[in-house]
Amino acid sequence: MLLTITTTHQPATDLGYLLYKHPDRFQTFDISYGKAHVFYTEATAERCTAALLLELDPVALVRSNDKDNSAPLAQYVNDRPYVASSFFSVAINQVFGTALSGNSRERPDLVRREIPLEATLAVVPCRGGDELIHKLFEPLGYEVFTDRHPLDPQFPQWGESRYWRVTVRARARLTDLLSHLYVLLPVLDGQKHYWVGEDELEKLLRHGDGWLEEHPHRELVVSRYLGRRRSLVREALDRLRTLDDDLPEDDADDDEVAATPRPVSLGRQRMDVVTEKLVATGAGTVLDLGCGEGKLVKELLGCPQFSRILAMDVSHRALEIAARRLKLDRMAPAKRERLELFHGSLFYRDERIEGCDAAAVVEVIEHLDPERLEAFERVLFGWTRPRWVVLTTPNAEYNVVWDTLPAGEVRHPDHRFEWSRTEFGAWITKVCEAFGYRTHELFGVGVEVTDHGHPTQGVVLCREES
Ligand code: SAH
């Protein structure tokens, strides 16, 4: 099975630095059940193509699988050595691991840049036809070309096979292209060569980070990737939902979709807007209350203005995921020192969160029981008293705009309430009067719809000087 990756980024031979494989060398790697070869079929400044050829040993495959005697011949005569499958994902991980994880010692800036890339897979087995190939790759911004292999070119009357030659093309980051292939090849194939367990779920979430939560067919991807193991599938979908809690899809921003190949999710827009508001306050120290899985923290770490970032959540699990997503254990010490991630509840006074300039409370209050909201107000505005508070919550009036959301339902099963703009306004007035704050700015996130407002409503509050 052969994969080629081509770039016309100039100088194209930089692909060698990105893949961490020298264009002049033919290299062979031992992988489980076979060998992977890497070589370049062209390497000029204008155009460079790297090839990954996987040679599986069918006998080694049989040996690993000797408990399965159900189809003795099929053990020896099967398509596994020739097609893109989960074996291929393993090879990508083993041979291009550095590039897959988005690292490059020699070209650290290029790793983050989108460059023209084209990947061709010689034989992709696809349960679901080439329609599925389009459905999976196109939402990620790729142009997709498929060409179905006949069963045997010498006997056209035998008809078509279930194998396609597939090319995907986009301006993309190489790490993203490799992550997409890593996850989607086994999904297309629909067979896994190993037992699907907890660690597969972690791999899926790690390699799906940043794109899977927004993929319109994420249910299908997750279900097939995890071999339809229901408890794992449910857990993965739950975790993806909290990673991107703007389900259902924000289909209101058609204009943006047209302008950019990949729609910017509401969740991401919210992080950008909240970061911008926090930066504008001039705060040096900042709290992220109900930080969840650390999406805002990631943005805040990127702003040198914030010398100290304290992030708190009541959910151990969310904190664990945040630590993993932020790669805390591998974070550069200078960055790591600026961040504290800890467990705590917004219902109780906590000295650890006192003394910061600003607090962000993003999509949290709707998760609190209404009868406990006052306890939260006392903790935040009464005890903690940051000079600035940036707070967001869903705008209930917008819900009817989402045609996938049944009328009267909230957006997330854990939302205890969702407020109209008037209800939000009344709550703001109440806390300002009770605790000596004033509204600095009301804002919305996402595309505004007449009479319904923005999908997310937000406020920047400022403590009155006493
Ligand atoms: N701010 C994050 C997460 C929003 S989801 C983001 O925008 O991505 C809401 C978060 O609030 C969850 O992580 C939940 O664990 C947390 N939360 C709910 N009740 C809480 C409480 N009493 N104290 C602290 N965090 C709480």
Short mmCIF file of all heavy atoms in Angstrom, two decimals, residues 8 32 37 45 80 98 132 149 151 160 170 178 181 183 253 257 291 305 316 332 352 396 399 429 464:
data_model
loop_
_atom_site.label_atom_id
_atom_site.label_comp_id
_atom_site.label_asym_id
_atom_site.label_seq_id
_atom_site.Cartn_x
_atom_site.Cartn_y
_atom_site.Cartn_z
N THR A 8 3.86 21.89 -3.18
CA THR A 8 4.48 22.85 -4.10
C THR A 8 4.86 24.10 -3.33
O THR A 8 5.14 25.14 -3.90
CB THR A 8 3.51 23.21 -5.24
OG1 THR A 8 2.24 23.55 -4.67
CG2 THR A 8 3.33 22.05 -6.21
N SER A 32 5.08 -3.21 13.30
CA SER A 32 4.44 -4.48 13.63
C SER A 32 3.90 -5.10 12.35
O SER A 32 3.25 -4.43 11.56
CB SER A 32 3.32 -4.27 14.65
OG SER A 32 2.85 -2.95 14.62
N HIS A 37 8.63 1.65 4.12
CA HIS A 37 9.72 2.30 3.40
C HIS A 37 9.33 3.75 3.11
O HIS A 37 8.19 4.02 2.73
CB HIS A 37 9.98 1.60 2.06
CG HIS A 37 10.13 0.12 2.19
ND1 HIS A 37 11.29 -0.47 2.66
CD2 HIS A 37 9.27 -0.90 1.93
CE1 HIS A 37 11.13 -1.79 2.66
NE2 HIS A 37 9.91 -2.07 2.22
N ALA A 45 13.02 22.22 -5.84
CA ALA A 45 12.57 23.38 -5.08
C ALA A 45 11.10 23.68 -5.38
O ALA A 45 10.39 24.24 -4.55
CB ALA A 45 13.43 24.59 -5.42
N ARG A 80 -5.41 -7.18 3.34
CA ARG A 80 -4.70 -6.33 4.30
C ARG A 80 -3.34 -5.80 3.83
O ARG A 80 -3.02 -4.65 4.06
CB ARG A 80 -4.55 -7.06 5.65
CG ARG A 80 -5.85 -7.43 6.33
CD ARG A 80 -6.67 -6.25 6.77
NE ARG A 80 -7.62 -5.80 5.79
CZ ARG A 80 -8.39 -4.72 5.94
NH1 ARG A 80 -8.28 -3.98 7.02
NH2 ARG A 80 -9.23 -4.36 5.02
N THR A 98 6.71 12.48 14.40
CA THR A 98 7.06 13.87 14.74
C THR A 98 6.16 14.83 13.97
O THR A 98 5.62 15.78 14.54
CB THR A 98 8.54 14.14 14.35
OG1 THR A 98 9.32 13.08 14.89
CG2 THR A 98 9.03 15.46 14.86
N LEU A 132 -18.91 8.36 0.69
CA LEU A 132 -18.43 8.47 2.06
C LEU A 132 -17.06 9.16 2.09
O LEU A 132 -16.78 9.97 2.98
CB LEU A 132 -18.35 7.08 2.70
CG LEU A 132 -17.87 7.07 4.16
CD1 LEU A 132 -18.84 7.83 5.06
CD2 LEU A 132 -17.71 5.64 4.66
N HIS A 149 -11.24 1.26 -8.52
CA HIS A 149 -10.49 0.19 -9.18
C HIS A 149 -11.45 -0.89 -9.66
O HIS A 149 -12.34 -1.30 -8.90
CB HIS A 149 -9.51 -0.47 -8.21
CG HIS A 149 -8.39 0.42 -7.79
ND1 HIS A 149 -7.40 0.83 -8.65
CD2 HIS A 149 -8.10 0.98 -6.59
CE1 HIS A 149 -6.55 1.61 -8.00
NE2 HIS A 149 -6.95 1.72 -6.75
N LEU A 151 -12.44 -4.80 -10.53
CA LEU A 151 -12.01 -6.03 -9.87
C LEU A 151 -10.77 -6.58 -10.56
O LEU A 151 -9.80 -6.97 -9.94
CB LEU A 151 -13.12 -7.07 -9.94
CG LEU A 151 -13.98 -7.22 -8.69
CD1 LEU A 151 -14.97 -8.35 -8.89
CD2 LEU A 151 -13.14 -7.46 -7.45
N GLU A 160 -16.86 -3.65 -10.76
CA GLU A 160 -16.02 -2.79 -9.92
C GLU A 160 -15.66 -3.48 -8.61
O GLU A 160 -16.40 -4.33 -8.12
CB GLU A 160 -16.82 -1.52 -9.56
CG GLU A 160 -17.46 -0.84 -10.72
CD GLU A 160 -16.56 0.19 -11.36
OE1 GLU A 160 -15.34 -0.05 -11.44
OE2 GLU A 160 -17.07 1.22 -11.77
N ALA A 170 -5.46 20.22 -0.48
CA ALA A 170 -5.89 21.43 0.25
C ALA A 170 -4.66 22.26 0.61
O ALA A 170 -3.53 21.76 0.55
CB ALA A 170 -6.61 21.05 1.53
N LEU A 178 -2.01 14.67 8.27
CA LEU A 178 -1.66 13.35 8.79
C LEU A 178 -2.67 12.89 9.85
O LEU A 178 -3.04 11.71 9.90
CB LEU A 178 -0.24 13.35 9.37
CG LEU A 178 0.88 13.53 8.33
CD1 LEU A 178 2.23 13.67 9.03
CD2 LEU A 178 0.92 12.37 7.33
N LEU A 181 -5.76 11.65 8.03
CA LEU A 181 -5.56 10.32 7.46
C LEU A 181 -5.53 9.26 8.56
O LEU A 181 -6.12 8.19 8.44
CB LEU A 181 -4.26 10.27 6.65
CG LEU A 181 -4.22 11.15 5.40
CD1 LEU A 181 -2.83 11.11 4.76
CD2 LEU A 181 -5.28 10.74 4.39
N VAL A 183 -6.96 9.11 11.39
CA VAL A 183 -8.28 8.75 11.93
C VAL A 183 -9.20 8.20 10.84
O VAL A 183 -9.92 7.22 11.06
CB VAL A 183 -8.94 10.00 12.59
CG1 VAL A 183 -10.40 9.71 12.95
CG2 VAL A 183 -8.16 10.41 13.83
N ASP A 253 -24.14 30.76 9.98
CA ASP A 253 -23.11 31.63 9.42
C ASP A 253 -22.69 31.17 8.02
O ASP A 253 -21.53 30.91 7.76
CB ASP A 253 -21.92 31.78 10.37
CG ASP A 253 -21.44 30.46 10.94
OD1 ASP A 253 -22.00 29.42 10.56
OD2 ASP A 253 -20.51 30.49 11.72
N VAL A 257 -19.02 30.46 5.90
CA VAL A 257 -18.72 29.16 5.32
C VAL A 257 -18.28 29.34 3.88
O VAL A 257 -17.34 28.70 3.40
CB VAL A 257 -19.95 28.23 5.39
CG1 VAL A 257 -19.65 26.91 4.71
CG2 VAL A 257 -20.33 27.99 6.85
N CYS A 291 -13.31 26.21 33.96
CA CYS A 291 -12.43 26.27 32.77
C CYS A 291 -12.68 25.10 31.83
O CYS A 291 -12.22 25.10 30.69
CB CYS A 291 -10.97 26.26 33.20
SG CYS A 291 -10.51 24.76 34.10
N GLN A 305 0.63 39.07 27.89
CA GLN A 305 0.07 40.02 28.87
C GLN A 305 -0.34 39.33 30.17
O GLN A 305 -0.24 39.90 31.24
CB GLN A 305 -1.15 40.69 28.24
CG GLN A 305 -2.02 41.47 29.20
CD GLN A 305 -3.23 42.07 28.48
OE1 GLN A 305 -3.24 42.23 27.25
NE2 GLN A 305 -4.25 42.43 29.22
N HIS A 316 -13.23 16.80 38.02
CA HIS A 316 -11.87 16.23 37.93
C HIS A 316 -11.57 15.80 36.51
O HIS A 316 -10.46 15.96 36.01
CB HIS A 316 -11.75 15.00 38.85
CG HIS A 316 -11.61 15.36 40.29
ND1 HIS A 316 -10.47 15.94 40.78
CD2 HIS A 316 -12.45 15.22 41.34
CE1 HIS A 316 -10.61 16.15 42.08
NE2 HIS A 316 -11.82 15.74 42.44
N ALA A 332 6.76 24.08 28.24
CA ALA A 332 8.02 24.76 28.58
C ALA A 332 7.87 25.41 29.96
O ALA A 332 6.81 25.98 30.26
CB ALA A 332 8.31 25.83 27.53
N ARG A 352 -7.88 30.91 47.05
CA ARG A 352 -6.94 30.72 45.93
C ARG A 352 -7.31 31.58 44.74
O ARG A 352 -6.48 31.87 43.89
CB ARG A 352 -6.92 29.24 45.50
CG ARG A 352 -6.35 28.31 46.53
CD ARG A 352 -6.53 26.88 46.12
NE ARG A 352 -7.95 26.54 45.94
CZ ARG A 352 -8.39 25.36 45.48
NH1 ARG A 352 -7.52 24.43 45.14
NH2 ARG A 352 -9.68 25.12 45.36
N ALA A 396 -31.25 32.23 24.74
CA ALA A 396 -32.36 31.29 24.47
C ALA A 396 -33.19 31.72 23.25
O ALA A 396 -33.76 30.87 22.56
CB ALA A 396 -33.26 31.20 25.69
N ASN A 399 -32.41 29.99 19.93
CA ASN A 399 -32.57 28.54 19.74
C ASN A 399 -33.47 28.15 18.57
O ASN A 399 -33.21 27.15 17.90
CB ASN A 399 -33.08 27.88 21.03
CG ASN A 399 -32.01 27.87 22.11
OD1 ASN A 399 -30.90 28.33 21.86
ND2 ASN A 399 -32.34 27.40 23.29
N THR A 429 -28.32 43.58 35.93
CA THR A 429 -28.69 44.76 36.73
C THR A 429 -28.70 44.38 38.21
O THR A 429 -28.19 45.12 39.06
CB THR A 429 -30.09 45.26 36.31
OG1 THR A 429 -30.06 45.42 34.90
CG2 THR A 429 -30.47 46.55 36.99
N GLU A 464 -17.00 48.92 40.47
CA GLU A 464 -16.97 50.35 40.72
C GLU A 464 -15.83 50.63 41.70
O GLU A 464 -15.64 49.87 42.66
CB GLU A 464 -18.28 50.81 41.39
CG GLU A 464 -19.52 50.43 40.64
CD GLU A 464 -19.98 51.48 39.65
OE1 GLU A 464 -19.12 52.23 39.13
OE2 GLU A 464 -21.17 51.51 39.39
#
